[in-house]
Amino acid sequence: NYLLPLKLLAEFGYPLVFYDQAGCGQSTFVNDPINDAPWLLTIDYYVKELSALIHHFQLYEYYLYGSSWGTVVAQEFAVSIASTTDAQLRGLQGLILDGALSDGQLYIQTQWRDRISTLPMFTQNLLKKLMNAKAYDSPLYQEIESVLSSHFTIRCVPRPDIFLKCVKQMNRAVYHEIQGPSEFALSGVLENWSITDRLWKIKVPTLVMRGEYDTMTEECCQAIVDGISSAWPLVCIPRAGHCKTIDEPHECIREITRFLNTVEGIRHGYKASEALVSRRSFDDSMGSPGKIFRRLKAILPPASQEEFGGEDLPPVVILPQAVLPEVVIPRPHEERDGLGDAVMKVSR
């Protein structure tokens, strides 16, 4: 639920699919996954689950968004379909990786080096002592974890309902086996997981975002950008922690729409760029950047209409998610002008 602010993308003409992975949230909840559903403790299961979702909705063109643990699933999925002949799975148009890691050890080492090391030495030493004793349930450890979370996980005060509901609906049994006892300790499946040496197989455009104070450090995220030849330069969301879609939702939407609109413009042979260059004044009904692509047939001459095809934008697949609240985003004129400037640069 902490990703719900991404519903704002629908205001820009992009359909969204949110889903709760099996075992948590509003999907079938499993209290004892070790004995009742051990497949929920493997990365491979979640890749297959995502593939089944894409087939279920008959998606042939889509973007895949992953946040935190979701970036693990997204990268594994993108690597797994590198040589597939499945027409639907091959419909992946791009990746958006939010707060990403590609190597468990690099993630935890840089977190201690660049994040926890900024705390007073007394707190650092006490934290190490509690972790060595595996006293994760102690009130003292939980107090420290709460403080760390306010610095690096979610910095927004007060914490909104969508985040609190997310915490309530998570499956801590699965979380413990995959991640470990907390965000600041790694002892589960991800402890020795790494996909860095396989990232070269990913060929689709990729946007990697991190928060200025994210638990996923700059080095941790840059390793992904360096490993994917088609990746954009690393984007840093100012003032944000790991849950940047809550801390700075408009900054996130701005970066994501810039990525999606640019990739879509290139996919459609720059016709969108040419239309924006030739006609910069759009009324409010056409001002939403994503909707511009949908309505180009009303602007372009007949010959160009046939080349463009007027296809709808592909949906964005987001994981994991559930209920959608009512959210409205204003569409200031400077945002539309910014899109025009960005697209004109692409057309040149």
mmCIF file of all heavy atoms in Angstrom, residues 293-319:
data_model
loop_
_atom_site.group_PDB
_atom_site.id
_atom_site.type_symbol
_atom_site.label_atom_id
_atom_site.label_comp_id
_atom_site.label_asym_id
_atom_site.label_seq_id
_atom_site.Cartn_x
_atom_site.Cartn_y
_atom_site.Cartn_z
ATOM 1 N N PHE A 293 -0.101 11.269 -26.326
ATOM 2 C CA PHE A 293 0.201 10.189 -27.255
ATOM 3 C C PHE A 293 -1.072 9.515 -27.746
ATOM 4 O O PHE A 293 -1.168 9.089 -28.894
ATOM 5 C CB PHE A 293 1.118 9.163 -26.595
ATOM 6 C CG PHE A 293 2.478 9.714 -26.298
ATOM 7 C CD1 PHE A 293 2.817 10.100 -25.015
ATOM 8 C CD2 PHE A 293 3.423 9.866 -27.296
ATOM 9 C CE1 PHE A 293 4.068 10.609 -24.734
ATOM 10 C CE2 PHE A 293 4.667 10.377 -27.025
ATOM 11 C CZ PHE A 293 4.997 10.752 -25.736
ATOM 12 N N ARG A 294 -2.053 9.421 -26.866
ATOM 13 C CA ARG A 294 -3.294 8.765 -27.251
ATOM 14 C C ARG A 294 -4.065 9.585 -28.289
ATOM 15 O O ARG A 294 -4.822 9.052 -29.073
ATOM 16 C CB ARG A 294 -4.188 8.566 -26.030
ATOM 17 C CG ARG A 294 -3.686 7.516 -25.058
ATOM 18 C CD ARG A 294 -4.644 7.452 -23.866
ATOM 19 N NE ARG A 294 -4.233 6.441 -22.929
ATOM 20 C CZ ARG A 294 -4.551 5.165 -23.019
ATOM 21 N NH1 ARG A 294 -5.276 4.745 -24.018
ATOM 22 N NH2 ARG A 294 -4.134 4.296 -22.116
ATOM 23 N N ARG A 295 -3.909 10.916 -28.263
ATOM 24 C CA ARG A 295 -4.772 11.772 -29.070
ATOM 25 C C ARG A 295 -4.045 12.399 -30.253
ATOM 26 O O ARG A 295 -4.526 13.350 -30.849
ATOM 27 C CB ARG A 295 -5.348 12.868 -28.176
ATOM 28 C CG ARG A 295 -6.084 12.284 -26.972
ATOM 29 C CD ARG A 295 -6.733 13.341 -26.134
ATOM 30 N NE ARG A 295 -7.335 12.755 -24.940
ATOM 31 C CZ ARG A 295 -8.123 13.411 -24.103
ATOM 32 N NH1 ARG A 295 -8.417 14.671 -24.329
ATOM 33 N NH2 ARG A 295 -8.614 12.813 -23.046
ATOM 34 N N LEU A 296 -2.896 11.870 -30.616
ATOM 35 C CA LEU A 296 -2.131 12.457 -31.707
ATOM 36 C C LEU A 296 -2.846 12.328 -33.053
ATOM 37 O O LEU A 296 -2.616 13.125 -33.948
ATOM 38 C CB LEU A 296 -0.750 11.805 -31.804
ATOM 39 C CG LEU A 296 0.257 12.337 -30.789
ATOM 40 C CD1 LEU A 296 1.552 11.570 -30.920
ATOM 41 C CD2 LEU A 296 0.508 13.816 -31.005
ATOM 42 N N LYS A 297 -3.711 11.342 -33.203
ATOM 43 C CA LYS A 297 -4.381 11.151 -34.487
ATOM 44 C C LYS A 297 -5.246 12.360 -34.840
ATOM 45 O O LYS A 297 -5.520 12.629 -36.007
ATOM 46 C CB LYS A 297 -5.228 9.882 -34.468
ATOM 47 C CG LYS A 297 -4.403 8.608 -34.410
ATOM 48 C CD LYS A 297 -5.253 7.380 -34.587
ATOM 49 C CE LYS A 297 -5.730 7.251 -36.014
ATOM 50 N NZ LYS A 297 -6.436 5.982 -36.260
ATOM 51 N N ALA A 298 -5.673 13.109 -33.811
ATOM 52 C CA ALA A 298 -6.484 14.300 -34.059
ATOM 53 C C ALA A 298 -5.629 15.482 -34.512
ATOM 54 O O ALA A 298 -6.153 16.483 -34.982
ATOM 55 C CB ALA A 298 -7.250 14.675 -32.794
ATOM 56 N N ILE A 299 -4.301 15.352 -34.381
ATOM 57 C CA ILE A 299 -3.391 16.449 -34.690
ATOM 58 C C ILE A 299 -2.628 16.185 -35.978
ATOM 59 O O ILE A 299 -2.462 17.067 -36.821
ATOM 60 C CB ILE A 299 -2.391 16.657 -33.533
ATOM 61 C CG1 ILE A 299 -3.150 16.973 -32.239
ATOM 62 C CG2 ILE A 299 -1.412 17.776 -33.865
ATOM 63 C CD1 ILE A 299 -2.253 17.009 -31.019
ATOM 64 N N LEU A 300 -2.151 14.950 -36.133
ATOM 65 C CA LEU A 300 -1.282 14.636 -37.260
ATOM 66 C C LEU A 300 -2.064 14.551 -38.570
ATOM 67 O O LEU A 300 -3.243 14.185 -38.571
ATOM 68 C CB LEU A 300 -0.584 13.290 -37.004
ATOM 69 C CG LEU A 300 0.338 13.240 -35.781
ATOM 70 C CD1 LEU A 300 0.800 11.807 -35.566
ATOM 71 C CD2 LEU A 300 1.535 14.153 -35.977
ATOM 72 N N PRO A 301 -1.409 14.866 -39.683
ATOM 73 C CA PRO A 301 -2.062 14.693 -40.989
ATOM 74 C C PRO A 301 -2.321 13.226 -41.267
ATOM 75 O O PRO A 301 -1.713 12.345 -40.663
ATOM 76 C CB PRO A 301 -1.033 15.278 -41.974
ATOM 77 C CG PRO A 301 0.276 15.204 -41.250
ATOM 78 C CD PRO A 301 -0.056 15.412 -39.809
ATOM 79 N N PRO A 302 -3.222 12.904 -42.213
ATOM 80 C CA PRO A 302 -3.620 11.497 -42.476
ATOM 81 C C PRO A 302 -2.447 10.565 -42.728
ATOM 82 O O PRO A 302 -2.427 9.438 -42.219
ATOM 83 C CB PRO A 302 -4.512 11.631 -43.719
ATOM 84 C CG PRO A 302 -5.073 13.013 -43.611
ATOM 85 C CD PRO A 302 -3.990 13.858 -43.023
ATOM 86 N N ALA A 303 -1.436 10.995 -43.485
ATOM 87 C CA ALA A 303 -0.300 10.109 -43.792
ATOM 88 C C ALA A 303 0.436 9.736 -42.521
ATOM 89 O O ALA A 303 0.831 8.588 -42.313
ATOM 90 C CB ALA A 303 0.645 10.794 -44.780
ATOM 91 N N SER A 304 0.620 10.716 -41.635
ATOM 92 C CA SER A 304 1.341 10.447 -40.382
ATOM 93 C C SER A 304 0.510 9.590 -39.456
ATOM 94 O O SER A 304 1.040 8.825 -38.666
ATOM 95 C CB SER A 304 1.699 11.769 -39.692
ATOM 96 O OG SER A 304 2.594 12.516 -40.497
ATOM 97 N N GLN A 305 -0.816 9.722 -39.533
ATOM 98 C CA GLN A 305 -1.676 8.915 -38.671
ATOM 99 C C GLN A 305 -1.455 7.437 -38.925
ATOM 100 O O GLN A 305 -1.396 6.627 -38.005
ATOM 101 C CB GLN A 305 -3.146 9.261 -38.921
ATOM 102 C CG GLN A 305 -3.558 10.626 -38.378
ATOM 103 C CD GLN A 305 -5.038 10.881 -38.575
ATOM 104 O OE1 GLN A 305 -5.822 9.927 -38.666
ATOM 105 N NE2 GLN A 305 -5.418 12.140 -38.637
ATOM 106 N N GLU A 306 -1.304 7.055 -40.192
ATOM 107 C CA GLU A 306 -1.097 5.648 -40.516
ATOM 108 C C GLU A 306 0.236 5.156 -39.986
ATOM 109 O O GLU A 306 0.350 4.049 -39.474
ATOM 110 C CB GLU A 306 -1.159 5.459 -42.031
ATOM 111 C CG GLU A 306 -2.537 5.711 -42.614
ATOM 112 C CD GLU A 306 -2.554 5.489 -44.112
ATOM 113 O OE1 GLU A 306 -1.516 5.039 -44.652
ATOM 114 O OE2 GLU A 306 -3.593 5.757 -44.737
ATOM 115 N N GLU A 307 1.281 5.997 -40.055
ATOM 116 C CA GLU A 307 2.591 5.595 -39.550
ATOM 117 C C GLU A 307 2.563 5.450 -38.036
ATOM 118 O O GLU A 307 3.130 4.532 -37.463
ATOM 119 C CB GLU A 307 3.641 6.649 -39.928
ATOM 120 C CG GLU A 307 3.941 6.714 -41.413
ATOM 121 C CD GLU A 307 5.008 7.746 -41.700
ATOM 122 O OE1 GLU A 307 6.002 7.779 -40.944
ATOM 123 O OE2 GLU A 307 4.839 8.515 -42.647
ATOM 124 N N PHE A 308 1.861 6.399 -37.379
ATOM 125 C CA PHE A 308 1.830 6.367 -35.919
ATOM 126 C C PHE A 308 0.979 5.217 -35.402
ATOM 127 O O PHE A 308 1.344 4.533 -34.456
ATOM 128 C CB PHE A 308 1.300 7.708 -35.395
ATOM 129 C CG PHE A 308 1.178 7.772 -33.903
ATOM 130 C CD1 PHE A 308 2.306 7.877 -33.110
ATOM 131 C CD2 PHE A 308 -0.054 7.700 -33.293
ATOM 132 C CE1 PHE A 308 2.198 7.922 -31.734
ATOM 133 C CE2 PHE A 308 -0.169 7.758 -31.926
ATOM 134 C CZ PHE A 308 0.964 7.875 -31.143
ATOM 135 N N GLY A 309 -0.162 4.990 -36.030
ATOM 136 C CA GLY A 309 -1.021 3.875 -35.628
ATOM 137 C C GLY A 309 -2.001 4.211 -34.527
ATOM 138 O O GLY A 309 -2.987 3.535 -34.334
ATOM 139 N N GLY A 310 -1.725 5.255 -33.745
ATOM 140 C CA GLY A 310 -2.639 5.662 -32.692
ATOM 141 C C GLY A 310 -2.831 4.627 -31.612
ATOM 142 O O GLY A 310 -3.882 4.532 -30.991
ATOM 143 N N GLU A 311 -1.831 3.802 -31.351
ATOM 144 C CA GLU A 311 -1.981 2.733 -30.365
ATOM 145 C C GLU A 311 -2.059 3.310 -28.952
ATOM 146 O O GLU A 311 -1.461 4.325 -28.652
ATOM 147 C CB GLU A 311 -0.788 1.774 -30.449
ATOM 148 C CG GLU A 311 -0.685 1.075 -31.796
ATOM 149 C CD GLU A 311 0.567 0.220 -31.863
ATOM 150 O OE1 GLU A 311 1.301 0.196 -30.863
ATOM 151 O OE2 GLU A 311 0.796 -0.395 -32.898
ATOM 152 N N ASP A 312 -2.804 2.643 -28.092
ATOM 153 C CA ASP A 312 -2.849 3.048 -26.694
ATOM 154 C C ASP A 312 -1.502 2.807 -26.042
ATOM 155 O O ASP A 312 -0.730 1.947 -26.460
ATOM 156 C CB ASP A 312 -3.916 2.249 -25.940
ATOM 157 C CG ASP A 312 -5.297 2.807 -26.205
ATOM 158 O OD1 ASP A 312 -5.397 3.919 -26.759
ATOM 159 O OD2 ASP A 312 -6.256 2.126 -25.858
ATOM 160 N N LEU A 313 -1.246 3.547 -24.999
ATOM 161 C CA LEU A 313 -0.017 3.330 -24.251
ATOM 162 C C LEU A 313 -0.097 1.996 -23.520
ATOM 163 O O LEU A 313 -1.178 1.602 -23.071
ATOM 164 C CB LEU A 313 0.184 4.456 -23.229
ATOM 165 C CG LEU A 313 0.440 5.842 -23.821
ATOM 166 C CD1 LEU A 313 0.407 6.881 -22.714
ATOM 167 C CD2 LEU A 313 1.780 5.869 -24.523
ATOM 168 N N PRO A 314 1.007 1.293 -23.382
ATOM 169 C CA PRO A 314 0.983 0.027 -22.640
ATOM 170 C C PRO A 314 0.774 0.294 -21.158
ATOM 171 O O PRO A 314 1.121 1.358 -20.659
ATOM 172 C CB PRO A 314 2.373 -0.554 -22.906
ATOM 173 C CG PRO A 314 3.227 0.624 -23.205
ATOM 174 C CD PRO A 314 2.343 1.599 -23.915
ATOM 175 N N PRO A 315 0.198 -0.646 -20.436
ATOM 176 C CA PRO A 315 -0.011 -0.447 -19.007
ATOM 177 C C PRO A 315 1.286 -0.578 -18.225
ATOM 178 O O PRO A 315 2.247 -1.170 -18.686
ATOM 179 C CB PRO A 315 -0.974 -1.582 -18.640
ATOM 180 C CG PRO A 315 -0.680 -2.644 -19.649
ATOM 181 C CD PRO A 315 -0.327 -1.916 -20.910
ATOM 182 N N VAL A 316 1.274 -0.016 -17.051
ATOM 183 C CA VAL A 316 2.389 -0.170 -16.136
ATOM 184 C C VAL A 316 2.004 -1.235 -15.129
ATOM 185 O O VAL A 316 0.953 -1.148 -14.505
ATOM 186 C CB VAL A 316 2.692 1.147 -15.392
ATOM 187 C CG1 VAL A 316 3.896 0.991 -14.481
ATOM 188 C CG2 VAL A 316 2.937 2.273 -16.390
ATOM 189 N N VAL A 317 2.826 -2.262 -14.973
ATOM 190 C CA VAL A 317 2.566 -3.313 -14.000
ATOM 191 C C VAL A 317 3.363 -2.986 -12.737
ATOM 192 O O VAL A 317 4.576 -2.822 -12.802
ATOM 193 C CB VAL A 317 2.988 -4.696 -14.530
ATOM 194 C CG1 VAL A 317 2.709 -5.768 -13.488
ATOM 195 C CG2 VAL A 317 2.248 -5.004 -15.827
ATOM 196 N N ILE A 318 2.675 -2.902 -11.627
ATOM 197 C CA ILE A 318 3.333 -2.505 -10.379
ATOM 198 C C ILE A 318 3.143 -3.595 -9.344
ATOM 199 O O ILE A 318 2.069 -4.172 -9.243
ATOM 200 C CB ILE A 318 2.764 -1.175 -9.869
ATOM 201 C CG1 ILE A 318 3.027 -0.068 -10.892
ATOM 202 C CG2 ILE A 318 3.368 -0.790 -8.538
ATOM 203 C CD1 ILE A 318 2.525 1.273 -10.476
ATOM 204 N N LEU A 319 4.183 -3.862 -8.538
ATOM 205 C CA LEU A 319 4.066 -4.866 -7.490
ATOM 206 C C LEU A 319 4.716 -4.380 -6.221
ATOM 207 O O LEU A 319 5.714 -3.693 -6.280
ATOM 208 C CB LEU A 319 4.723 -6.185 -7.923
ATOM 209 C CG LEU A 319 6.211 -6.177 -8.289
ATOM 210 C CD1 LEU A 319 6.889 -7.391 -7.735
ATOM 211 C CD2 LEU A 319 6.415 -6.109 -9.781
#
